[in-house]
Amino acid sequence: LGFAWIGLKSEVLPPPSNLEYSFIQICTLNWTWSPPENISSSCDLEYSSDIVIGEVPQDKRSRFRVTDMFLNEEMHFKVRSECKHNNASKPSQWAEKSLPLKGIPGTAAVDLSCVWHNLEYMVCTWRPGEKASSDTNYTLFYWFDGLKNHKKCSNYSVHQGIFGCIFNLSFPKVTNTYPAISILIRDDSEEIRPVCASKNPTTLVKPATPRQVTLSKINDGIHVEWSQSDTFPKNCLFYEVEYHNGDLDTASIIKVISNDVFFFVDPNSKYTFKVRANPKPECYSSKLYSDWSEEKSIGESSCSCNLLYFILHLLKILILPPIPDPREILKRMFGEQNEDSQVSKKLLGQLIY
């Protein structure tokens, strides 16, 4: 007597329906769909979604409804139904939808780069697309969580083919986390392809150049001090101080966490200092330093003093040559005569014998 095991066929869930998207803000899409019908009450329904940008899958099996968009690359979204912790049902087929591209390929702005200066304003630069016409008038819009509506950047510049725009960007000084900045660059022409980008502002922080650098001599040392930034939270910056002895070409750099430092130095030498600031990694993810402050010097270079002494001594010799000592002249004269008499006696002796 034989037995045959017949496996039960797993039920395939129906897919979600009415997959659509809408714009929440610039560069942000909200995907929505309706749940499948006739789902068993034993199914703990959930959804799995995928997004493909430029044929590259993003965030496999993530469960989201809100996504960033890029606009200059094809964007494809898909979602399916699943029963959580239920092996008796198979996931549904994918419900799919694509975001159509606009504009001509190669006309979108490229090489977008932004720097957040001193937690006060953002400077963004970009180059025109290689196929964009010379009269393309790019416009930058920005938005972040906290703004009711997106804003248009109005302070533009173009230098050697590089576009730039500056807009104010600041948060309360006690802020510990910062929202991502959504940036859209487009042109009014339908031929120019728009481009979106999301920027993490903490990676873009560049402090202002330290100001009011002062040098003071205190006993056998030099005290260097500079003003602190008013825009950064306390203890969120460290500083680098570069210094060198006036007699040497090589410089040294030390790091300090306060806005002053004391050096023990040679009191007879000249020293030159300059300072720059850098965000602390526990506050920001940026690796951008401020520009160096203007160099400040104190003391006199021993090399310069020696050179000055040599020049003065040479001038003294040229203008007032030394007077010969008469005793030395007479000594040389009589010395020469004694040598002549010795030679004469030697010759006379040879003639006699």
Side-chain angles (χ1 to χ4, degrees), residues 90-103:
K90 289 184 177 181
S92 72
Q93 294 182 339
W94 293 102
E96 304 181 23
K97 197 173 187 68
S98 296
L99 183 67
L101 290 172
K102 297 181 179 180

Side-chain angles (χ1 to χ4, degrees), residues 78-297:
K78 57 184 181 179
V79 61
R80 70 182 181 185
S81 309
E82 296 179 359
C83 287
K84 189 176 182 180
H85 308 306
N86 187 346
N87 296 326
S89 299
K90 289 184 177 181
S92 72
Q93 294 182 339
W94 293 102
E96 304 181 23
K97 197 173 187 68
S98 296
L99 183 67
L101 290 172
K102 297 181 179 180
I104 300 173
T107 58
V110 295
D111 297 339
L112 174 64
S113 175
C114 297
V115 177
W116 191 14
H117 287 267
N118 209 39
L119 306 184
E120 294 180 296
Y121 60 93
M122 185 84 80
V123 178
C124 293
T125 59
W126 63 92
R127 293 189 302 106
E130 58 180 5
K131 293 185 179 180
S133 61
S134 59
D135 61 348
T136 299
N137 185 24
Y138 291 106
T139 304
L140 184 148
F141 300 87
Y142 64 96
W143 178 85
F144 54 87
D145 189 15
L147 284 182
K148 184 176 181 180
N149 298 304
H150 65 265
K151 291 188 176 183
K152 177 181 178 180
C153 184
S154 56
N155 189 5
Y156 287 91
S157 65
V158 181
H159 179 67
Q160 295 182 349
I162 304 297
F163 289 77
C165 200
I166 303 174
F167 57 90
N168 292 328
L169 182 66
S170 61
F171 298 93
K173 200 171 182 179
V174 296
T175 302
N176 294 321
T177 58
Y178 299 89
I181 312 298
S182 296
I183 294 175
L184 166 65
I185 301 176
R186 63 175 179 84
D187 183 89
D188 291 336
S189 169
E190 294 293 329
E191 295 182 350
I192 303 301
R193 179 165 291 181
V195 62
C196 274
S198 179
K199 299 291 185 180
N200 177 359
T202 67
T203 65
L204 309 174
V205 176
K206 181 178 181 179
T209 306
R211 305 292 182 187
Q212 300 175 3
V213 179
T214 59
L215 311 179
S216 305
K217 273 194 172 183
I218 302 177
N219 297 326
D220 291 334
I222 297 175
H223 182 240
V224 185
E225 188 176 15
W226 54 92
S227 60
Q228 288 184 310
S229 172
D230 294 330
T231 59
F232 280 82
K234 188 177 181 180
N235 300 322
C236 275
L237 289 177
F238 70 84
Y239 302 91
E240 287 190 350
V241 181
E242 181 182 294
Y243 66 98
H244 66 88
N245 186 315
D247 297 339
L248 302 175
D249 294 330
T250 57
S252 300
I253 294 179
I254 65 167
K255 292 183 179 182
V256 295
I257 58 174
S258 62
N259 65 316
D260 70 332
V261 63
F262 186 84
F263 293 88
F264 289 100
V265 298
D266 177 2
N268 298 318
S269 294
K270 176 183 177 181
Y271 289 87
T272 302
F273 299 86
K274 60 181 180 180
V275 185
R276 67 179 180 179
N278 183 242
K280 284 187 177 181
E282 54 264 37
C283 297
Y284 307 98
S285 303
S286 174
K287 298 185 183 300
L288 299 176
Y289 286 85
S290 74
D291 295 333
W292 285 105
S293 67
E294 292 185 5
E295 289 189 343
K296 291 289 186 74
S297 300

